[in-house]
Amino acid sequence: NYACSASLVFAFLLGCSAQAPSLSWEPVETGLDASLRGLSVVDSETVWISGSGGGVAHTHDGGSTWTVEDVSGAENLDFRDVESFQGGTAYIMSAGSGSLSRIYKTEDSGESWALQHINPLEAGFFNGMAFWDQENGVVVGDPVDGTLFLLVTSDGGETWERLAGPQVPEVMEGEFGFAASGTNISTFGGNGLAVVSGGPAARVFRSTDRGETWMVASTPMAKGNASSGIFSIAFRDVSTALAVGGDYQNPGLMTGTIARSTDGGVTWELAPEPHGIGFRSGVAWRDDPEHPLWVAVGTPGSSFSMDDGQTWVTFDSAPINAVAFAGSFGWAAGPDGSVARLRVE
């Protein structure tokens, strides 16, 4: 139906309601009572979540039943990110000062766990992780010694090596990353990698060759204090990306919370004012042939966009930390063990 395709954005919101879906979160009970920030959706049946107090759980039947994991020695860790794959492989990453930042892996859906890496740097603090495939991945942490901090693996986590050398970008004094949803880092295409920052700058560190070379882009996102910047980045394809954030201590601030790139992260522009949403800590692309859209979540609520971030519709006010999709199957995780799956009608 192309009846509305030539109309303005307002027509999408007001006159093309038949094209705009109705979105809602359907709460799901998991048995895990934790502050959840890690979320990974493998397919329509398999979802992993992770959070505070060593909390990890997963479902393999679309959320009907959940298995809560007991990761030995991790009872006091805060698992801020989880990345999972077909066949029962999953990585969990804890965030914390020094040795509280760790990486674990399972290859049998949690029947056993291997502690792969303990951060040896007192100044280290892991933020998030991303993978090109289940053998090749990267963890980002707060900058150390004035440069971006990245750990990379090419052997399924058997070894994690710090990316070093003159090609690693320098950071501004006080610039850092947010461990808010495990998505201040993203892979894209076959070799693309992007990391976002906050504090005195809200920047995108971008590589197209898995960290061999880098480009650093400034953005018009909120910045200037320790609670503001970019919190999450996601790619629809190698060209189109969204970055979300703002100021988590001023969640109602609606300036500098959404930026879009159409050239793979080289340049960024804010959504037209007023875009009408406050602080957001996570953003993800729903790849669905009938209703393709972006969903952005945060403590003030959830919103969706059908025009690559130009306009937004807020559909829920519940606090949420993270959002993730596998195709059209979307899930959210947040405070107090809250988990929900997305309903689109």
Side-chain angles (χ1 to χ4, degrees):
N1 180 3
Y2 295 94
C4 302
S5 61
S7 57
L8 297 175
V9 170
F10 267 168
F12 153 65
L13 294 173
L14 302 177
C16 297
S17 59
Q19 291 186 347
S22 173
L23 272 64
S24 61
W25 291 116
E26 179 185 6
V28 174
E29 179 59 48
T30 68
L32 183 61
D33 183 16
S35 175
L36 302 174
R37 297 182 183 273
L39 174 65
S40 180
V41 183
V42 179
D43 52 36
S44 62
E45 301 295 313
T46 305
V47 181
W48 287 73
I49 54 175
S50 66
S52 59
V56 181
H58 50 94
T59 179
H60 299 276
D61 55 15
S64 296
T65 60
W66 291 77
T67 299
V68 176
E69 292 295 334
D70 180 13
V71 183
S72 179
E75 296 81 5
N76 296 319
L77 298 181
D78 191 353
F79 287 121
R80 297 288 183 96
D81 200 5
V82 57
E83 297 288 334
S84 54
F85 301 90
Q86 297 282 358
T89 293
Y91 299 82
I92 49 176
M93 181 215 78
S94 63
S97 299
S99 62
L100 295 179
S101 285
R102 304 179 187 182
I103 305 167
Y104 292 79
K105 181 185 180 181
T106 181
E107 296 181 280
D108 52 18
S109 295
E111 291 293 324
S112 60
W113 291 91
L115 174 57
Q116 291 192 320
H117 185 82
I118 299 177
N119 173 39
L121 303 175
E122 185 177 348
F125 191 106
F126 293 171
N127 300 149
M129 59 181 172
F131 284 75
W132 291 278
D133 54 58
Q134 68 182 58
E135 296 295 314
N136 295 272
V138 56
V139 167
V140 64
D142 282 346
V144 176
D145 298 327
T147 63
L148 200 65
F149 177 87
L150 294 164
L151 292 175
V152 295
T153 184
S154 59
D155 55 13
E158 291 297 318
T159 56
W160 290 91
E161 300 291 341
R162 182 178 175 184
L163 200 64
Q167 77 276 16
V168 180
E170 295 183 351
V171 299
M172 297 181 184
E173 184 177 354
E175 190 174 13
F176 60 93
F178 291 102
S181 62
T183 56
N184 72 324
I185 182 171
S186 177
T187 55
F188 62 96
N191 297 295
L193 176 64
V195 175
V196 295
S197 70
R203 300 198 292 175
V204 177
F205 299 81
R206 172 183 172 272
S207 173
T208 57
D209 50 19
R210 301 196 180 191
E212 290 296 319
T213 59
W214 291 87
M215 182 214 74
V216 185
S218 297
T219 76
M221 294 282 286
K223 54 183 172 290
N225 58 44
S227 57
S228 64
I230 307 174
F231 284 67
S232 177
I233 185 171
F235 286 77
R236 174 166 65 84
D237 49 42
V238 295
S239 298
T240 306
L242 289 188
V244 302
D247 187 337
Y248 74 82
Q249 290 193 342
N250 186 9
L253 179 70
M254 294 187 181
T255 301
T257 60
I258 299 280
R260 179 180 72 158
S261 175
T262 57
D263 55 14
V266 177
T267 60
W268 294 83
E269 62 178 5
L270 291 178
E273 296 288 353
H275 49 67
I277 63 174
F279 167 72
R280 294 293 185 265
S281 58
V283 64
W285 169 250
R286 181 178 188 262
D287 188 11
D288 178 80
E290 184 175 0
H291 295 302
L293 50 84
W294 291 91
V295 174
V297 302
T299 50
S302 303
S303 308
F304 73 90
S305 173
M306 298 183 70
D307 55 9
D308 279 335
Q310 294 294 93
T311 59
W312 292 85
V313 177
T314 296
F315 65 93
D316 194 278
S317 61
I320 291 174
N321 294 325
V323 60
F325 285 90
S328 62
F329 302 99
W331 288 77
D336 302 318
S338 59
V339 174
R341 57 190 160 208
L342 188 67
R343 293 180 60 88
V344 181
E345 297 175 348

